[in-house]
């Protein structure tokens, strides 16, 4: 294998890793949303862009959720190339990093164009064009830079030095469900070019900058376009200075700055171009969602998405989204550790950790005086991040300070022990050793919308899940305890390791004695009062709990299911009429009357495929010796993302189990888990 820097140089400059056989064209599964690099990102001012290069009916463009779209058209003589389908050679991505893309195309035959697009900071994006007239006759025409305001004709666009100026609004509720009081959501904008435009037109919410194109045969010319944003209350000179600096920034600086973090990333040398493209795209997504310390957050942290943004996904971190750190640790294990430190430093004296922690929000969602936490994935995630860093070090690929990693592990063990004790002390109302969700139990269970059983227990009751002892929660706690045992063993604390492993075995035995149904041979939630498979709802009706959901496979992942029960679970799993669907394992069995295979909104738990939850099943199969089934599930997960990446070059919160059409939130951080899936599949070879 080539050294990592050499491989990444090839990746950057398109020599081998992005050859025509790899991800680079409109039909390849490449992620093309870009946001500022970690060290130049901000929370309150942050503009990301999606590169639309793949739609034959539309122009090459940089689109946003609420800040308008801008892009390019070309004129040569009397000919105009506006839509990508009109180009002589369509755009091809040569490099795609988290903050930068390089692409090449010919708007007209013989007019070779190379473009570098870099989101330099949360405030400034730069487009550098190098156009060569490869023909034997002069080329005269124009590069047309256009902008379309989301408010249409109501928007005002004014001339400004080298371009235009305007305002746009980022609704505060899109930034956060609890935005800072000082945040107005009003932004000033600039679109400027060098050389200065020949003409500037602005009317009806649209602006056009015409840049003269006049090249002799074999001559090359360069154009620089800058898109900048600033809070309305910021000094105007600050944005003017940023625009001026961006217009002068060298292309070499853009490339070096974007590429530098990749020198430490783990490159497994994937031979398959599809897997290679998805691996790096997944890591680009994870890196892109990371933000530097700000406000309450003393370490880097993540949001669910940078472009688009939505309030629920932008408030800060939650444990189940942090499963994406299992993949991100392949890119930057130190950064992944820091993200987890955000949780541990917010821990309270009784071990409680809030549901959500961000730079400007700590959300506890109290119900009847009981604070809400989140599905306990803390210690398992910490252990997996540490283990990844340790194993890369042993392979000679390490880039983490060993002493710092040990300090992280020691901190994680202490925090994890307190957190596990909190759950056992505060989430076992009947003191039978089995746990139930508490606080705002719907949120705490992280299955927070269209969960058939929760809806039947009490559609508008946030405490409804606490009526059952939960198979998912108890399985998670077994895995947490086993992780604590592994941490203690690694740190040489043998007594603690023995104690936590014994507690894990004890809880696993309770799950097997109570939650396994010998008739249907599956694991289910049970009634808190009777430990039976029926429960009385607050309305007085009796509800059967034998509903096959993805959570019934978590005992496989947690190492709870003995071999005969694991075999029965795998038989359910691989039944195409139940769980074995085209794009992975749905959250609800396909033969359940409430099964909904069409994904039309956020947060569906009645049939959607969630890749991180599929990863738990995938991991359970591998650990239980079902390698063939794990490989097949991994391929289905990859196919789910690849199908959408080829169509729209985005990741998605969840996927339709059977169909390509869907509408869940875009560019969701936890799809980065695919990098871990791909690496695990390589180890299966």
């Amino acid at each position: 294998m080539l050294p990592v820097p050499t491989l990444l140089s090839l990746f950057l400059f398109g020599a081998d890793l992005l050859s025509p056989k790899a991800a680079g064209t409109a039909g390849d599964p490449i992620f093309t949303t870009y946001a500022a690099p970690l060290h130049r990102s901000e929370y309150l001012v942050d503009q990301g862009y999606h590169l639309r290069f793949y739609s034959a009916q539309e122009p090459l463009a940089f689109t946003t959720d609420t800040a308008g779209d801008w892009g390019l058209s070309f004129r040569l003589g009397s000919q105009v190339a506006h839509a990508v389908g009109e180009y002589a050679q369509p755009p091809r991505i040569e490099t795609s990093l988290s903050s930068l893309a390089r692409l090449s195309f010919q708007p007209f035959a013989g007019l070779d164009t190379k473009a570098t697009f870099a989101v330099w900071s949360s405030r400034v994006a730069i487009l550098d064009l190098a156009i060569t007239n490869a023909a034997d006759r002069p080329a005269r025409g124009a590069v047309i830079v256009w902008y379309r305001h989301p408010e249409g004709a109501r928007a005002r666009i004014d001339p400004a030095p080298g371009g235009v100026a305007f305002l746009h609004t980022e609704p505060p509720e899109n930034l956060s469900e609890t935005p800072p009081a000082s945040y107005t959501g009003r932004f000033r904008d600039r679109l400027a070019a060098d050389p200065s435009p020949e003409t500037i037109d602005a009317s009806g919410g649209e602006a056009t900058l015409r840049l003269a194109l006049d090249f002799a045969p074999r001559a090359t010319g360069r154009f620089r376009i800058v898109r900048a944003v600033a809070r309305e209350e910021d000094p105007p000179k600050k944005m003017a200075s940023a625009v001026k600096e961006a217009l002068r920034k060298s292309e070499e600086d853009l490339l070096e700055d974007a590429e530098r973090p990749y020198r430490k990333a783990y490159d497994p040398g994937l031979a398959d171009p599809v897997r290679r493209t998805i691996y790096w795209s997944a890591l680009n997504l994870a890196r892109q969602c990371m933000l530097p310390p700000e406000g309450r957050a003393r370490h880097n942290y993540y949001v669910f998405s940078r472009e688009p943004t939505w309030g629920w996904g932008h408030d800060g971190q939650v444990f189940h989204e942090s499963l994406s750190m299992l993949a991100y640790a392949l890119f930057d294990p130190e950064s992944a550790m820091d993200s987890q430190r955000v949780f541990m430093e917010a821990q309270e004296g009784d071990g409680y950790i809030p549901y959500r922690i961000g730079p400007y929000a700590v959300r506890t969602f109290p119900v009847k005086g009981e604070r809400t936490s989140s599905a306990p994935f803390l210690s398992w995630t910490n252990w997996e991040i540490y283990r990844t860093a340790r194993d890369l070090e042993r392979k000679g690929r390490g880039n983490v300070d060993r002493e710092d990693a040990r300090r992280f592990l020691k901190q994680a063990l202490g925090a994890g022990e307190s957190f596990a004790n909190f759950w056992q002390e505060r989430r076992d109302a009947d003191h039978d050793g089995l746990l139930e969700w508490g606080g705002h139990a719907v949120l705490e269970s992280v299955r927070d919308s269209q969960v058939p059983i929760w809806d039947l227990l009490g559609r508008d009751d946030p405490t409804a899940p606490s009526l059952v002892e939960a198979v998912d929660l108890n399985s998670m706690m077994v895995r947490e305890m086993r992780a604590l045992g592994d941490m203690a063993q690694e740190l040489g604390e043998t007594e603690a390791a023995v104690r936590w492993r014994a507690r894990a075995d004890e809880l696993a035995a309770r799950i097997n004695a109570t939650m396994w149904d010998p008739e249907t041979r599956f694991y289910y939630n049970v009634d808190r009062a009777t430990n039976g498979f029926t429960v009385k709802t607050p309305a007085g009706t009796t509800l059967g709990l034998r509903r096959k959901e993805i959570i019934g496979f978590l005992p496989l992942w947690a190492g709870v299911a003995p071999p005969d029960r694991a075999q029965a679970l795998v038989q359910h799993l691989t039944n195409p009429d139940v769980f074995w669907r085209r794009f992975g394992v749905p959250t609800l069995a396909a033969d359940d009357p409430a099964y909904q295979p069409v994904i039309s909104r956020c947060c569906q738990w009645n049939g959607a495929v969630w890749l991180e939850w599929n990863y738990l099943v995938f991991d359970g199969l591998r650990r239980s010796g079902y390698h063939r089934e794990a490989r097949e599930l991994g391929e289905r997960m990859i196919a789910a993302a690849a199908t959408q990446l080829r169509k729209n070059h985005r990741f998605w919160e969840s996927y339709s189990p059977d169909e390509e059409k869907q509408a869940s939130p875009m560019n969701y951080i936890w799809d980065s888990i695919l990098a871990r899936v791909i690496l695990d599949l390589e180890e299966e070879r």
Side-chain angles (χ1 to χ4, degrees):
M1 185 186 298
L2 291 169
V4 170
T6 305
L7 282 168
L8 288 170
S9 297
L10 293 177
F11 181 67
L12 261 176
F13 296 103
D16 268 335
L17 286 182
L18 285 178
S19 68
K21 295 180 180 178
T25 68
D28 290 313
I30 186 168
F31 176 57
T32 62
T33 297
Y34 304 94
L38 176 61
H39 60 289
R40 273 197 301 277
S41 292
E42 303 173 56
Y43 185 80
L44 298 178
V45 181
D46 186 45
Q47 185 58 67
Y49 300 87
H50 177 70
L51 170 57
R52 190 183 66 210
F53 75 106
Y54 46 85
S55 174
Q57 294 76 37
E58 298 178 284
L60 180 70
F62 306 94
T63 69
T64 75
D65 52 356
T66 59
D69 302 339
W70 59 288
L72 300 175
S73 300
F74 298 87
R75 182 175 60 79
L76 188 65
S78 61
Q79 296 177 281
V80 175
H82 182 60
V84 167
E86 297 167 347
Y87 286 13
Q89 288 185 8
R92 177 180 178 276
I93 302 292
E94 308 244 350
T95 303
S96 186
L97 308 178
S98 66
S99 64
L100 178 142
R102 299 187 79 197
L103 56 158
S104 60
F105 53 92
Q106 285 191 5
F108 304 102
L111 208 62
D112 292 336
T113 304
K114 296 189 182 300
T116 299
F117 175 70
V119 186
W120 178 253
S121 71
S122 284
R123 296 169 180 252
V124 177
I126 300 169
L127 176 62
D128 188 86
L129 295 175
I131 302 178
T132 300
N133 179 14
D136 56 5
R137 59 187 181 278
R140 294 186 177 89
V143 176
I144 302 164
V145 183
W146 51 264
Y147 170 76
R148 294 173 183 160
H149 200 285
E151 295 180 9
R154 294 179 299 157
R156 176 178 171 178
I157 302 178
D158 297 315
V164 293
F166 48 94
L167 300 173
H168 86 273
T169 300
E170 300 277 350
E173 63 270 18
N174 281 16
L175 178 85
S176 166
E177 291 204 332
T178 54
S182 63
Y183 181 79
T184 65
R186 294 191 298 273
F187 288 83
R188 290 183 292 106
D189 302 71
R190 283 281 304 279
L191 183 64
D194 183 30
S196 292
E198 276 190 318
T199 63
I200 299 173
D201 298 318
S203 63
E206 297 188 6
T208 301
L209 316 181
R210 294 180 183 274
L211 313 181
L213 190 158
D214 190 354
F215 298 153
R218 315 300 174 191
T220 297
R222 301 192 80 96
F223 302 87
R224 174 64 60 88
I225 300 99
V226 170
R227 170 84 160 87
V229 300
R231 295 178 71 182
E232 188 179 41
E233 55 268 35
D234 288 347
K237 288 184 178 180
K238 185 175 181 180
M239 186 165 72
S241 175
V243 170
K244 193 172 183 179
E245 180 187 7
L247 288 170
R248 294 196 305 258
K249 190 71 63 179
S250 73
E251 187 184 18
E252 290 74 19
D253 283 346
L254 301 181
L255 292 168
E256 166 64 18
D257 190 72
E259 183 267 348
R260 191 181 302 116
Y262 289 77
R263 293 174 186 159
K264 298 194 300 181
Y266 178 62
D267 188 326
L270 298 164
D272 179 76
V274 171
R275 290 193 184 194
R276 183 171 63 241
T277 302
I278 295 177
Y279 176 84
W280 287 110
S281 290
L283 292 182
N284 287 348
L285 172 66
R287 179 66 171 190
Q288 184 179 106
C289 289
M290 304 303 296
L291 290 167
E294 186 173 338
R296 301 171 188 263
R298 295 178 57 248
H299 306 277
N300 68 206
Y301 63 96
Y302 64 80
V303 293
F304 299 179
S305 168
R306 295 275 289 278
E307 174 61 43
T309 61
W310 69 96
W312 181 254
H314 214 249
D315 262 348
Q317 302 186 156
V318 182
F319 288 133
H320 56 296
E321 271 78 17
S322 290
L323 294 180
S324 57
M325 296 298 103
L326 275 62
Y328 182 53
L330 299 168
F331 189 100
D332 188 344
E334 286 182 315
S335 184
M337 290 178 192
D338 278 348
S339 171
Q340 291 295 104
R341 286 182 169 114
V342 170
F343 288 123
M344 293 187 281
E345 292 184 3
Q347 189 170 36
E348 299 183 11
D350 62 354
Y352 168 78
I353 298 177
Y355 176 89
R356 183 193 290 281
I357 303 163
Y360 299 103
V362 174
R363 309 294 298 279
T364 63
F365 298 103
V367 174
K368 298 178 181 177
E370 182 66 66
R371 299 159 297 174
T372 302
S373 191
S374 186
F377 287 117
L378 174 71
S379 294
W380 182 59
T381 302
N382 285 337
W383 171 246
E384 290 297 313
I385 292 170
Y386 172 83
R387 190 177 63 84
T388 297
R390 181 198 65 188
D391 292 351
L392 290 177
E393 182 76 29
R394 289 175 178 174
K395 293 177 182 178
R397 299 283 182 176
N399 52 60
V400 175
D401 180 271
R402 293 183 185 181
E403 290 304 313
D404 185 59
R406 297 284 287 189
R407 284 193 295 271
F408 168 79
L409 192 65
K410 193 166 186 64
Q411 181 185 12
L413 176 60
E417 289 182 325
S418 295
F419 191 51
N421 288 334
F422 166 83
W423 281 88
Q424 289 204 302
E425 292 167 9
R426 303 298 291 271
R427 295 296 187 263
D428 183 10
D430 57 358
H431 306 292
D432 66 348
L434 291 171
L435 310 181
E436 56 275 344
W437 300 111
H440 192 305
V442 172
L443 287 181
E444 192 166 274
S445 75
V446 307
R447 302 195 304 137
D448 50 11
S449 180
Q450 300 187 67
V451 182
I453 291 177
W454 291 174
D455 288 346
L456 291 169
L457 283 173
R459 182 179 293 274
D460 299 317
D461 182 359
T463 68
S466 65
L467 294 174
V468 302
E469 289 175 327
V471 65
D472 48 355
L473 170 57
N474 285 278
S475 297
M476 292 169 192
M477 285 306 303
V478 169
R479 198 65 189 265
E480 287 286 281
M481 292 171 180
R482 296 202 194 286
L484 290 170
D486 291 337
M487 290 181 195
Q489 189 71 44
E490 181 79 2
L491 291 168
E493 299 184 19
T494 306
E495 281 188 28
V498 170
R499 181 174 68 254
W500 282 110
R501 287 165 177 165
R503 288 174 69 171
D505 290 343
E506 182 181 355
L507 181 53
R510 285 197 174 97
I511 294 170
N512 277 315
T514 308
M515 297 177 169
W516 174 258
D517 176 37
E519 183 179 338
T520 59
R521 298 182 63 74
F522 202 74
Y523 288 96
Y524 305 98
N525 296 326
V526 296
D527 176 67
R528 189 177 75 190
T530 68
N531 285 350
F533 294 118
T534 60
V535 60
K536 278 204 169 181
T537 71
T541 60
T542 299
L543 172 67
L545 294 173
R546 291 185 181 92
R547 305 282 291 273
K548 293 188 180 70
E549 302 176 274
I550 194 171
I551 62 172
F553 296 111
L554 265 59
L556 186 70
W557 162 73
V560 168
D564 61 326
R565 295 183 180 182
Q567 184 179 27
L569 290 176
V570 172
Q571 289 173 351
H572 287 291
L573 178 70
T574 55
N575 183 341
D577 295 326
V578 185
F579 284 109
W580 212 233
R581 312 303 289 187
R582 177 185 176 190
F583 292 128
V585 182
T587 50
L588 184 67
D591 61 353
D592 191 286
Y595 176 70
Q596 174 53 262
V598 178
I599 305 309
S600 59
R601 51 160 291 181
C602 162
C603 316
Q604 288 184 235
W605 284 92
N606 57 356
V609 170
W610 297 73
L611 294 185
E612 281 206 341
W613 287 78
N614 270 239
Y615 181 74
L616 303 181
V617 181
F618 169 84
D619 187 59
L621 289 169
R622 292 180 70 230
R623 291 172 180 272
S624 302
Y626 290 92
H627 299 285
R628 178 177 60 82
E629 291 81 0
R631 286 193 298 271
E632 188 170 342
L633 176 55
E635 296 295 348
R636 292 174 189 233
M637 295 167 66
I638 292 169
T643 299
Q644 297 303 321
L645 285 167
R646 288 188 175 102
K647 290 177 62 177
N648 49 62
H649 300 275
R650 302 179 192 267
F651 288 104
W652 297 81
E653 179 194 52
S654 63
Y655 295 84
S656 296
D658 308 307
E659 302 179 11
E660 296 183 10
K661 185 178 179 181
Q662 63 176 56
S664 63
M666 293 182 289
N667 297 344
Y668 205 87
I669 185 174
W670 70 6
D671 281 12
S672 59
I673 197 67
L674 284 172
R676 173 61 66 179
V677 171
I678 288 169
L679 192 61
D680 288 348
L681 287 173
E682 286 297 298
E683 294 177 354
E684 290 285 320
R685 290 179 181 272

